[in-house]
Amino acid sequence: MKKAFPNVSLLLLLLLLVLSLLVVTTISEPRDQVVEMKCGRDREANSSIFIVNFVATMENISEQMRTNGYGEAVVGTGPNANFGLAQCYGDLILLDCVLCYAKMRTLLPQCYPYSSGHIYLDGCFMRVTNYSFYEEIRGPDDKAICGNATQKSTRFQESARKAVLDAAAMAPRNGGYAKSQALVSGSVNESAYVLANCWRRLNSSSCKACLDNAAMSVMGCLPWSEGRALNTGCFMRYSDIDFLNAEQQQQSSSGSSKAKIVYSQLDSQVEYIFSLLNIFYPCFLDFLGRTDDAVKMAKILHDSSLNFKFSVLQKATGSFDEANRLGQGGFGTVYKGVLADGREIAVKRLFFNNKHRAADFYNEVNIISSVEHKNLVRLLGCSCSGPESLLVYEFLPNKSLDRFLFDPNRGKALHWEKRFEIVIGTAEGLAYLHENSNNRIIHRDIKASNILLDSKLKAKIADFGLARSFQEDKSHISTAIAGTLGYMAPEYLAHGQLTEKADVYSFGVLLLEIVTGRQNNRSKTLDYSDSLITAAWKHFQLGTAEELFDPNLMLHNYNSESDMKKDILRVVHVGLLCTQEIPSLRPFMSKALEMLLNKDHILPAPTNPPFIDESTMELNDNSSDPSHPLNATSSPSVASMSHSSFYPR
């Protein structure tokens, strides 16, 4: 298996660009251009049941497509049932069919939460709905789509009509598929090309009725050079360009023996390639213009043995049972799972792929697979073989720090020594990310909900969906702003200039939250009007910082109360140094760590923190709108920002 993989990696690398050229020297195309995708109007009745049924339907159809170029499946009953059908058109070889279907399988789940949808590609078709539609030949969505680039001559129109009628007549007698070509009178090089295809479930009379209707519809596109009929039970296309795959045309010619030999050799690999495409294609779909990213993803998944089967993770989580839900954020929902070997895992379920989520998915896998540290959460694997992308992490039983810090009762478990351990662990993890010689990384979303706690309440940094690699020779990264209000450095929030000092600022906010048990971006819901940073700065200046201490800090014996207060005040001091308005004055993480550990280190006086007008920040705060997608979390985030959350916020 491992020896064969590099050859398959090459196929994946060239997936839609040159794979077809490896088949034969003549043209072979999966024709995976989308003609139309349409979703139904009725929402699913029960999300959990519907999704399980949908995934099973896709899996069943996949098994059939890789050998027959056609598949159908029925899973479930009632309003959450899934009736599915997929078919490639008759001139596609099996390998091209696999590629065409892989794209449909990735796109159609975007119809969720609606219970039905259909998609026409130029090489294949798929439909899924909650009732049996297999015998239907007409429907309200039947239409013709006409190309309007070129108006053709009267002679071409005559040839096109002849070719359309010929194909419509031949297909019912030929298993539902036919193609035809009609030379334009008076021309040596111009022809009209036609493909007609019925779904295999239709008998010959139903096929004829469907194509007769499609023929009348598509001929209405003349005099334009291109026309397609999208009917409930069939598909028809005419064009002045030869879009038909040439291999099928040539199988009866004298040159067909060579093609058949190549087909035979490739057919033996189709099943293997198909299984790999099911794994990789959804992940690569949004990176087709980014070859390096696709190669990296393939290498990561292979070299690190990261891939999990969707069915394995589905079973481990009890089909994503609500009882196993650990938390939910704007980027997905996290479930506890138990593998067959007894290992406990956390599965981040990134609901149905789209371009932005695919980008964050790739980024998180890429970033976290390149680093390893005791204070970073460990990625165990991923899956992108179903309609959802899944990330698999080590399971941390105590979930996230915010669950303790901001809860008066749970906070009692975090006496000062535990909190200081969490501070140091987080600092060590961040220093490693920033100063790792192989791959310097800026996290961009350091906050209490992204600090996970193991069974001994030791800290691990999680959620790398927004993280970015940072090169030594760069002064900063200019990037779209992303993160959570209350934790973002002012220069980043205002100008999008990202450096390690943005993480340092967030770390400083976290230090103040750990000491006070108060959340910075929740200041107006508490009993003080200033932000936490402003309040800490004012108390520090007045020498009254002890008034902000979380009462739970005093619930544990320490060497002496005065020593503990000195240590807590030192952490407040470092927190204010990290949140200074001028980035160059903030310490690097390694220096901040040294300040925290070395009690003899004389700390410089902090300068003013940024006094941000919170009413200005509210312009981008949609927390009052419960329907806004970012309000899946408890932390208000800038409206244009998408961020992932690992455990509850």
Side-chain angles (χ1 to χ4, degrees), residues 25-324:
T25 56
T26 51
I27 297 173
S28 171
E29 271 288 330
R31 296 206 303 273
D32 60 353
Q33 300 84 2
V34 178
V35 179
E36 180 185 76
M37 186 175 96
K38 187 167 184 178
C39 303
R41 297 178 180 177
D42 298 325
R43 296 173 66 93
E44 41 74 24
N46 182 298
S47 176
S48 298
I49 298 173
F50 174 83
I51 291 168
V52 170
N53 290 347
F54 180 87
V55 171
T57 300
M58 293 295 97
E59 291 296 328
N60 290 344
I61 291 175
S62 295
E63 292 292 325
Q64 301 167 62
M65 289 294 288
R66 64 178 163 187
T67 55
N68 300 320
Y70 172 84
E72 62 180 68
V74 180
V75 179
T77 59
N80 291 300
N82 266 254
F83 292 77
L85 179 151
Q87 180 175 323
C88 291
Y89 304 143
D91 64 326
L92 262 64
I93 63 169
L94 194 55
L95 191 57
D96 290 333
C97 179
V98 163
L99 297 177
C100 195
Y101 171 72
K103 186 166 183 177
M104 291 194 301
R105 180 175 173 174
T106 303
L107 293 174
L108 196 59
Q110 293 178 13
C111 282
Y112 180 84
Y114 298 101
S115 61
S116 63
H118 66 248
I119 181 170
Y120 293 86
L121 273 58
D122 267 331
C124 53
F125 165 85
M126 182 158 62
R127 181 181 179 187
V128 176
T129 189
N130 60 358
Y131 72 91
S132 178
F133 61 88
Y134 299 125
E135 311 302 327
E136 293 180 0
I137 61 173
R138 294 183 185 177
D141 294 324
D142 291 357
K143 65 171 67 174
I145 294 181
C146 307
N148 57 2
T150 308
Q151 288 195 18
K152 304 300 291 185
S153 67
T154 302
R155 289 179 177 178
F156 174 84
Q157 295 178 54
E158 291 172 354
S159 298
R161 288 190 181 93
K162 180 180 185 305
V164 165
L165 295 173
D166 286 348
M170 286 190 292
R173 304 193 301 268
N174 189 43
Y177 160 72
K179 59 189 173 186
S180 62
Q181 174 184 351
L183 186 67
V184 175
S185 176
S187 173
V188 177
N189 299 318
E190 188 177 22
S191 293
Y193 303 90
V194 175
L195 178 143
N197 228 133
C198 295
W199 316 144
R200 292 190 194 177
R201 277 296 294 265
L202 300 184
N203 58 33
S204 59
S205 60
S206 295
C207 178
K208 182 179 185 305
C210 188
L211 288 176
D212 285 346
N213 180 271
M216 295 299 295
S217 176
V218 78
M219 285 190 294
C221 287
L222 294 168
W224 301 113
S225 60
E226 187 92 41
R228 296 171 177 84
L230 314 181
N231 280 26
T232 300
C234 57
F235 174 86
M236 181 175 278
R237 178 186 179 187
Y238 80 81
S239 178
D240 63 342
I241 298 172
D242 186 3
F243 62 89
L244 300 165
N245 279 350
E247 289 84 359
Q248 297 289 332
Q249 289 178 320
Q250 294 181 3
Q251 284 195 7
S252 62
S253 70
S254 59
S256 65
S257 58
K258 179 179 178 181
K260 288 181 179 178
I261 292 171
V262 180
Y263 299 151
S264 178
Q265 293 171 344
L266 280 170
D267 283 347
S268 66
Q269 301 178 35
V270 164
E271 184 171 348
Y272 183 43
I273 294 172
F274 186 88
S275 64
L276 289 167
L277 286 169
N278 271 339
I279 295 169
F280 295 123
Y281 196 99
C283 297
F284 290 163
L285 185 66
D286 292 300
F287 302 102
L288 296 178
R290 296 165 57 186
T291 303
D292 290 344
D293 288 341
V295 174
K296 287 177 184 176
M297 177 67 89
K299 188 175 188 305
I300 289 166
L301 290 172
H302 176 250
D303 292 351
S304 304
S305 301
L306 288 172
N307 184 61
F308 278 77
K309 289 184 177 180
F310 182 89
S311 58
V312 170
L313 300 179
Q314 185 181 30
K315 182 177 180 181
T317 58
S319 295
F320 304 103
D321 193 314
E322 276 296 298
N324 291 322

Side-chain angles (χ1 to χ4, degrees), residues 380-399:
L380 302 178
C382 64
S383 170
C384 23
S385 58
E388 308 158 58
S389 294
L390 306 174
L391 292 172
V392 185
Y393 289 93
E394 60 179 317
F395 174 72
L396 298 174
N398 283 310
K399 302 183 182 179

Side-chain angles (χ1 to χ4, degrees), residues 371 376 429-436 439-441 443 461 464:
V371 295
L376 304 180
L430 268 177
Y432 169 80
L433 289 175
H434 291 181
E435 299 172 22
N436 178 15
N439 188 17
R440 295 173 61 202
I441 294 166
H443 186 280
I461 299 171
F464 288 79

Side-chain angles (χ1 to χ4, degrees), residues 18-30:
V18 297
L19 178 59
S20 59
L21 298 180
L22 299 178
V23 179
V24 286
T25 56
T26 51
I27 297 173
S28 171
E29 271 288 330

